[in-house]
Amino acid sequence: MAVKKPRIVIIGAGMAGLTAANKLHTCTAFKDKFELCIVEGGSRIGGRINTSEFGGDRIEMGATWIHGIGGSPVHQIARDINSLESEQPWECMDGFLENPRTIAEGGFELNPSLVESVSTLFNKLMDFAQGKFIQSAEIEETAPQSVDFYKIAAKASNGGAGKLSVGSFLRRGIDAYWECLESDAEQVRDSNFCSRKKFEEAVFAMHENVQRTYTSAGDLLTLDFEAESEYIMFPGEEITIAKGYLSIIEALASVLPKGLIQLGRKVAKIEWQSQSQAQTKAQAHESMENGHVNKPVKLHFSDGSFMYADHVIVTVSLGVLKAGIGEDSGMFSPPLPCFKTEAISRLGFGVVNKLFLEVDSNHDVKSVKDFKFPFLQMAFHGSNSELRQKKIPWWMRRTASICPIYKSSSVLLSWFAGKEALELESLDDDEIINGVSTTTSSFLTSNLTHSHELCNGNHHHVDDEVRFSKVLKSKWGNDPLFMGSYSYVAVGSSGDDMDSLAEPLPKIENLESDESCSSLSQLQILFAGEATHRTHYSTTHGAYFSGLREANRLLQHYHCFGV
């Protein structure tokens, strides 16, 4: 009886899955010796990469940035396929818009000196957390002479019981900053000192909200402080892809034969064999099962069909894995070992959503270009402030900014994280339009009955509120194929958990002395995806590296080193 080729099945046609498939298929010493297929539960490839169009502009519903071009494989692919230039306008085509206007609730545009001093404090604190703080002999021009940022950061990182969170560190940092100012007699005599603290608090909270979208931690109190220094950023500028992130996905998939990717094939259960089960079958010489050569993994699909495999690369999101280890899930049979489930449980996985709005072209305000809608940074006041606007909906209050996606676009963009991002998914278009209109009106209509020395005197008076004709939002939190956006190291977890998540199953002990355990019983379940990369988690290039890692693991297993 002829022995069938070993079969490798990749679950998920996102960055990690397609990278692994691309590597395996293009290895000349490998591709004719094995069966390879990708099963994707959705109706498209790309996973959390989803390029779309809105208002005539190209936008990204998911992954947006190449985070540093120096050494990034994503940037290299984009260059190779000429995706970095396009005649069609695209999101963030002019990078990070310059000259943002920071306006406090009620229409007060804040003095640049106040914004810069708080921004410097926040950036120095994050540099310290990430191990990038460079102590300078020069004191920043925007900082009071009594402020030593390094001492503030060092003080904020010390003391307290238990593991430190980024949120606690930042709060301690701003408290230490104010203590420095209060020790300065000249500062205390300043009649604006108390008012300044209120505005500084609003600006600091604005930066915290930006950090929530960067990390996907809806609450920075859940983000581990120690792990921040392990995260690696590529050097160089951060850019978007002119022809869309999906062009990278399409390039990876272009080498794969037609039919290799099977869409609409959602996996309901993965049956695999633990080491003891594999030993039992090997000792009993079981070689056939339902007419199939004994393959250790059986995939059950939601439509009732099934498929056998020798090796399965699981690239589903950490959110799906979290749901999959629940008592009622039964995604894995037998259940994953404790070292896996504990790592999955401890790691963080958050929700970040993007909201696009198109300015109503029939309104008196014609277009964003005519209206000169600013890169608006919104500094919201605390719950006890007399300047707090009651009509602003709660789900808008932790949104840091709203701005055109490029200088002349009629499309505006705002980011949401955590419970606000989930709430956004539940709102209908009219509720969103009304909530955003009320909020922008509060910031862009000057409060002419008050004046303050901490404000720069520029007013943004609008005769009528800006109106929007269409909205488009991402819905990553409630999508059963993702159940969130990207991973982070939560308090109580560490990079070790990401390493554990990346470890293949079964975990073979004493392999050399265990002759009864067939080599085909090894590497049954392999794990890839951004959450399995210790230093590049939460990124597309982290997903890319993880897919490459698991493909190489299989190539080495079968002693295939061709390219």
Side-chain angles (χ1 to χ4, degrees):
M1 182 178 60
V3 178
K4 290 192 175 183
K5 295 179 181 179
R7 178 183 291 156
I8 298 169
V9 179
I10 299 171
I11 301 176
M15 178 67 87
L18 288 172
T19 300
N22 180 288
K23 176 65 176 178
L24 292 171
H25 181 74
T26 56
C27 177
T28 55
F30 179 87
K31 65 180 180 180
D32 294 328
K33 298 179 182 179
F34 303 88
E35 294 180 16
L36 177 66
C37 76
I38 300 176
V39 291
E40 164 58 50
S43 59
R44 62 174 180 83
I45 64 173
R48 283 167 275 175
I49 293 172
N50 186 12
T51 303
S52 186
E53 291 189 9
F54 185 67
D57 296 332
R58 182 176 286 124
I59 60 167
E60 304 289 358
M61 299 298 289
T64 303
W65 297 95
I66 296 177
H67 293 291
I69 63 176
S72 168
V74 177
H75 181 251
Q76 186 60 52
I77 294 171
R79 287 183 60 189
D80 292 344
I81 63 175
N82 299 314
S83 274
L84 296 177
E85 295 181 4
S86 173
E87 293 182 1
Q88 180 185 4
W90 72 95
E91 181 183 345
C92 298
M93 57 189 286
D94 26 34
F96 295 97
L97 294 182
E98 296 178 355
N99 302 318
R101 288 180 172 175
T102 306
I103 303 179
E105 205 173 335
F108 300 107
E109 181 167 353
L110 299 178
N111 262 327
S113 61
L114 182 149
V115 177
E116 288 170 17
S117 63
V118 179
S119 299
T120 299
L121 168 66
F122 188 90
N123 292 334
K124 291 290 187 182
L125 289 171
M126 288 308 304
D127 283 347
F128 185 93
Q130 293 163 3
K132 298 184 295 186
F133 194 106
I134 299 175
Q135 199 167 4
S136 174
E138 296 181 4
I139 298 177
E140 287 77 3
E141 293 181 1
T142 58
Q145 292 296 308
S146 58
V147 171
D148 184 324
F149 289 113
Y150 185 84
K151 285 184 179 179
I152 287 172
K155 182 178 181 179
S157 66
N158 290 326
K163 293 195 72 175
L164 181 63
S165 71
V166 170
S168 295
F169 167 73
L170 291 171
R171 286 285 114 190
R172 292 180 187 180
I174 193 169
D175 287 343
Y177 171 78
W178 284 328
E179 287 176 10
C180 284
L181 297 184
E182 287 170 353
S183 65
D184 187 324
E186 184 177 344
Q187 291 286 337
V188 173
R189 286 195 299 269
D190 184 353
S191 60
N192 284 325
F193 183 70
C194 290
S195 296
R196 183 183 183 92
K197 281 183 66 174
K198 291 181 181 179
F199 284 115
E200 286 180 336
E201 164 63 31
V203 174
F204 195 83
M206 178 186 77
H207 284 292
E208 288 176 310
N209 290 328
V210 172
Q211 199 65 26
R212 292 167 66 233
T213 62
Y214 284 170
T215 62
S216 90
D219 185 345
L220 295 180
L221 293 174
T222 67
L223 184 63
D224 188 70
F225 174 81
E226 288 184 11
E228 281 295 297
S229 60
E230 275 200 287
Y231 188 84
I232 294 176
M233 285 281 290
F234 283 125
E237 61 181 323
E238 297 186 75
I239 61 172
T240 53
I241 301 173
K243 292 180 180 174
Y245 237 113
L246 196 59
S247 65
I248 307 297
I249 290 294
E250 291 169 342
L252 290 170
S254 65
V255 303
L256 304 177
K258 186 176 181 181
L260 189 144
I261 302 173
Q262 301 177 20
L263 299 177
R265 298 275 275 163
K266 185 177 181 182
V267 174
K269 183 166 72 171
I270 303 172
E271 282 190 69
W272 62 290
Q273 298 172 17
S274 65
Q275 183 179 3
S276 59
Q277 288 174 316
Q279 290 170 341
T280 301
K281 284 203 170 190
Q283 291 164 355
H285 303 289
E286 295 184 17
S287 60
M288 297 291 292
E289 183 178 345
N290 296 333
H292 289 264
V293 174
N294 182 26
K295 295 184 182 297
V297 186
K298 184 178 180 181
L299 299 177
H300 298 258
F301 296 93
S302 56
D303 63 1
S305 63
F306 55 86
M307 178 187 297
Y308 291 91
D310 297 282
H311 311 283
V312 174
I313 303 178
V314 177
T315 73
V316 300
S317 75
L318 178 60
V320 172
L321 289 177
K322 282 179 176 290
I325 63 173
E327 291 183 4
D328 301 327
S329 170
M331 181 178 178
F332 293 92
S333 179
L336 295 177
C338 288
F339 83 92
K340 279 281 186 194
T341 58
E342 289 171 359
I344 291 169
S345 298
R346 284 191 293 257
L347 288 168
F349 192 73
V351 183
V352 176
N353 279 318
K354 300 170 74 174
L355 173 64
F356 298 92
L357 306 102
E358 186 174 21
V359 172
D360 187 353
S361 60
N362 295 320
H363 184 47
D364 289 341
V365 173
K366 301 298 181 187
S367 71
V368 171
K369 185 177 181 181
D370 295 335
F371 176 55
K372 296 182 180 178
F373 198 100
F375 177 177
L376 174 60
Q377 294 188 144
M378 298 180 289
F380 291 95
H381 295 295
S383 56
N384 358 351
S385 174
E386 67 280 3
L387 299 175
R388 191 176 173 93
Q389 307 290 298
K390 295 181 179 179
K391 292 183 179 180
I392 294 177
W394 70 269
W395 48 270
M396 282 294 299
R397 286 197 161 275
R398 298 179 81 187
T399 305
S401 64
I402 182 168
C403 62
I405 61 172
Y406 56 88
K407 290 178 182 176
S408 60
S409 178
S410 62
V411 175
L412 307 183
L413 168 63
S414 196
W415 293 72
F416 294 77
K419 64 181 181 180
E420 291 82 11
L422 287 172
E423 179 68 12
L424 184 72
E425 295 187 26
S426 70
L427 300 175
D428 62 35
D429 289 359
D430 287 341
E431 288 176 302
I432 293 172
I433 287 172
N434 290 336
V436 176
S437 297
T438 298
T439 305
T440 55
S441 177
S442 169
F443 283 86
L444 296 177
T445 302
S446 298
N447 187 340
L448 299 178
T449 61
H450 296 82
S451 61
H452 204 284
E453 292 180 22
L454 298 173
C455 305
N456 66 10
N458 290 343
H459 298 298
H460 298 274
H461 184 66
V462 189
D463 293 332
D464 197 2
E465 66 182 22
V466 182
R467 294 180 185 174
F468 306 101
S469 57
K470 291 190 299 184
V471 301
L472 180 65
K473 61 187 177 184
S474 58
K475 300 179 182 179
W476 297 108
N478 288 300
D479 190 323
L481 294 177
F482 305 101
M483 305 186 79
S485 301
Y486 37 92
S487 63
Y488 63 95
V489 180
V491 172
S493 65
S494 70
D496 291 343
D497 287 324
M498 290 180 166
D499 288 342
S500 294
L501 185 55
E503 194 166 331
L505 294 175
K507 191 173 183 179
I508 305 295
E509 306 289 348
N510 300 319
L511 180 61
E512 293 182 1
S513 62
D514 185 9
E515 296 179 358
S516 66
C517 189
S518 166
S519 64
L520 289 181
S521 296
Q522 301 172 43
L523 303 182
Q524 293 174 41
I525 312 293
L526 302 92
F527 294 84
E530 52 85 13
T532 70
H533 201 290
R534 183 168 187 145
T535 58
H536 290 293
Y537 56 88
S538 81
T539 65
T540 54
H541 58 261
Y544 178 94
F545 287 140
S546 74
L548 208 59
R549 178 192 67 217
E550 297 312 309
N552 284 328
R553 197 192 300 272
L554 285 172
L555 291 175
Q556 291 168 13
H557 179 69
Y558 286 104
H559 307 290
C560 296
F561 302 104
V563 178

